[in-house]
Amino acid sequence: LYGKGMYAQENGLDSMAVACYDRMKDIDPRDPLPWYNTGFIRLEHEGRVKEAREQFDQAIKLLPTYAQAYVNRGLTYEVENVLDSAFLDYRQALALNPDLLSASEGLQRLEQKGLRYKR
């Protein structure tokens, strides 16, 4: 199901991808991957920011070390201009994976938007 979902996601078949991920959630609701991937589609393909954040929240709840889920949840906050929350998520992602470029780039964007913080 995951492979089929990813294929659909990468080929613009979002409803098919979400259907695969929803089926995965039914089979094993403790698997963070379908939550994350559904959030990715909601955010990147559909612009449904609040719904995306709910999916990333669940992925993080299931796997608190899921660095990329923190980055993407940070993006949802950044889109809504809730910069303090975005900052916290990007910093958490870097704490989990110091080499995560997307988290570093997120912090740089926040700095360009005027958010000041101690490094």
Side-chain angles (χ1 to χ4, degrees), residues 62-83:
L62 294 168
L63 183 62
T65 58
Y66 202 158
Q68 191 61 49
Y70 282 100
V71 171
N72 283 14
R73 188 174 72 178
L75 281 170
T76 69
Y77 286 124
E78 187 177 347
V79 165
E80 292 183 332
N81 209 36
V82 184
L83 302 185

Side-chain angles (χ1 to χ4, degrees), residues 1-13 16-17 20-21:
L1 282 172
Y2 183 73
K4 183 177 179 181
M6 281 301 299
Y7 175 83
Q9 179 178 328
E10 292 172 353
N11 288 283
L13 304 168
M16 179 186 291
C20 290
Y21 301 143

Side-chain angles (χ1 to χ4, degrees), residues 88-104:
L88 292 173
D89 275 349
Y90 294 146
R91 285 294 294 248
Q92 181 62 32
L94 284 173
L96 294 167
N97 181 351
D99 299 323
L100 193 57
L101 183 60
S102 55
S104 296

Side-chain angles (χ1 to χ4, degrees), residues 48-66:
R48 294 162 61 181
V49 177
K50 184 177 184 284
E51 292 175 34
R53 184 167 42 251
E54 291 168 356
Q55 298 295 310
F56 297 132
D57 283 341
Q58 186 62 24
I60 290 166
K61 179 181 175 186
L62 294 168
L63 183 62
T65 58
Y66 202 158

